[in-house]
Structure formats: C-alpha cells, structure tokens
Amino acid sequence: MGRPKSISRVFLAYKGDHYAFYWVSVGSDRSIYFGSSIANWFKWGFNDKVDLPAEGARIAPDVYGREMNEKELSAKHSLHSSGVALLPTRVGTKRDEYRINAMEEYPEHLPLVGVLPMPIHRYRKSEKKIRAEDIVLDVEGFAGFPFAVLLYAHREAASVPEVVKGIPQRYPNFVSNSANLNADLKITAVAYNDSERFSFWRCDEYVVSARPSLDSLESIWPLFAAT
C-alpha cells in the first residue's frame, strides 16, 4: 500500500465562507483514498446495495439498508493501484471490496463518488488557507437549494468525459472546479442541481460509490436523479 503523499481538500463556498466537505489523496503507488471531511462527526448511518439506473440514483438506505457501526462511519474509501477497491463498510471484520481496472488501465477518467450533501451549515466552517491543490465549489448560485456533487480523477490532458458533458442537459444548474493532485493526476468536482427534482435537503450525507456491473471492470458514474 502506498502512503498518501498528496491531498486535495474540497470546500463548499457559500456566503463568503468555506466549509470543509471532502478530501482525496493519492499514494506513491497511485492508489487513491477519499472520504468526508466530517466523517468523525457521524454518529449513525445506513448502508444499502442497489442497481444504479440510467436516470441516476434514487436511494433510501435508512428504509431498506442495514445500520452501520462506528468504525464503518469513520472509514475512508480506498482504490488501490492493483484494482482492488475497499469500501468503508464491513462483512464481519473484513472490509467490503470489489475489483475495478488497475489504475494504469484507466486511460483518462476514474469516477470516485457521488454525494448528496447535508445543509451547508451542518459542515465545519474552515479558516484554513486554500492551497493550489485544493478545490473550492462556489454553490452560492444554487440559492440555498439542495445539490449533489460528483468527484472524479483524470489525467492532466484528459478530455471532459461524456457523462460530465451531459450534466448541463440533465440539470439546469452546475458548477465545477479542478486541482492537480500530483504531477499527472487531477481531481475534478462537479456540483449540480435541479430545483424541481432536488426539492428538499437530506438530514444526513448520502454517498454512492458505484462499483462495476457484473460483466465489466469499468466503474459506473454515480449521479443522482433526485433528493
């Protein structure tokens, strides 16, 4: 396992303040790790596994899923360079895992996670200096409406993936920003919303980490259909 040597912090900018939202780091072997910036604050949560439809995720883990324990709530996601992906959730003492393509086999883009944030005021207001490798998403333009965030990794010279090109057609409002995580890897965050479909805030942070379909090692892009 490569030790993380660089980290990109993702902040939400709203009404002149920055709120710590997510983080992504990369190890010397190009393994990628990521998680919520306030995971150690979470006291309860639920986990569920569902098929991800083409129109996007509609999730209700608190209705159909199982309750997560404290260790799962504070754990990170790990995408190892070998192609082994480890989730925060566990079966007994072993973390849930699945396989994706090895990092060198991803020619351009690697989807990481989709997040439905909590109301912004529930995140920790940050006074830390914004660095070149950090990402700031200015969500002021959403006028207080709920939104979703997509995080993905890609090569420095990669074109915009087709699924991201399609976001403006599917969602009326969106913002994006990128930062270099190391010499050849960038992280891009895209926030998007639709005031009709994204009509209410969730009380908790909802996360979709999309594993591949059974006949492929290519990860599915985790977008949300609604709140």
Side-chain angles (χ1 to χ4, degrees):
M1 180 187 300
R3 295 181 63 187
K5 65 175 182 178
S6 55
I7 185 167
S8 178
R9 302 170 301 181
V10 183
F11 296 94
L12 304 176
Y14 187 68
K15 294 189 179 297
D17 293 313
H18 291 137
Y19 294 84
F21 175 59
Y22 243 71
W23 60 269
V24 183
S25 69
V26 63
S28 57
D29 66 347
R30 299 178 66 214
S31 296
I32 299 174
Y33 313 89
F34 53 93
S36 174
S37 294
I38 60 168
N40 58 337
W41 287 14
F42 296 153
K43 300 302 181 185
W44 63 279
F46 294 86
N47 175 61
D48 194 16
K49 298 177 183 179
V50 296
D51 291 331
L52 188 64
E55 66 271 16
R58 295 178 183 271
I59 59 174
D62 51 336
V63 177
Y64 302 107
R66 66 162 180 84
E67 189 167 359
M68 297 169 66
N69 61 46
E70 185 175 349
K71 184 175 289 188
E72 291 175 312
L73 289 171
S74 60
K76 62 181 179 292
H77 291 75
S78 306
L79 301 182
H80 294 282
S81 56
S82 63
V84 174
L86 298 177
L87 294 170
T89 52
R90 294 174 177 265
V91 177
T93 59
K94 186 179 179 181
R95 287 173 65 181
D96 278 326
E97 68 175 64
Y98 58 93
R99 292 202 64 86
I100 59 175
N101 284 316
M103 295 303 176
E104 63 268 17
E105 295 174 15
Y106 274 95
E108 290 194 320
H109 318 104
L110 176 61
L112 299 180
V113 67
V115 186
L116 277 179
M118 302 179 294
I120 295 175
H121 70 271
R122 296 191 64 186
Y123 290 92
R124 183 173 59 243
K125 192 180 297 186
S126 176
E127 302 297 334
K128 294 181 178 179
K129 182 179 179 180
I130 304 299
R131 307 166 304 169
E133 58 267 35
D134 293 332
I135 296 173
V136 176
L137 285 174
D138 186 349
V139 296
E140 186 82 28
F142 295 155
F145 280 97
F147 57 91
V149 176
L150 169 69
L151 291 173
Y152 68 97
H154 57 96
R155 312 284 190 190
E156 170 70 33
S159 60
V160 178
E162 291 301 316
V163 67
V164 176
K165 287 181 181 179
I167 286 178
Q169 283 73 53
R170 295 180 59 182
Y171 307 94
N173 308 303
F174 76 99
V175 294
S176 66
N177 206 351
S178 303
N180 288 85
L181 194 53
N182 62 18
D184 67 348
L185 188 67
K186 295 187 75 171
I187 301 297
T188 290
V190 183
Y192 57 94
N193 98 322
D194 179 336
S195 58
E196 293 185 2
R197 288 182 291 164
F198 290 45
S199 56
F200 62 93
W201 288 100
R202 296 283 187 170
C203 295
D204 304 289
E205 192 175 85
Y206 280 62
V207 177
V208 172
S209 177
R211 64 181 65 188
S213 58
L214 294 177
D215 58 351
S216 171
L217 292 178
E218 191 74 25
S219 292
I220 298 170
W221 288 78
L223 296 175
F224 290 92
T227 53

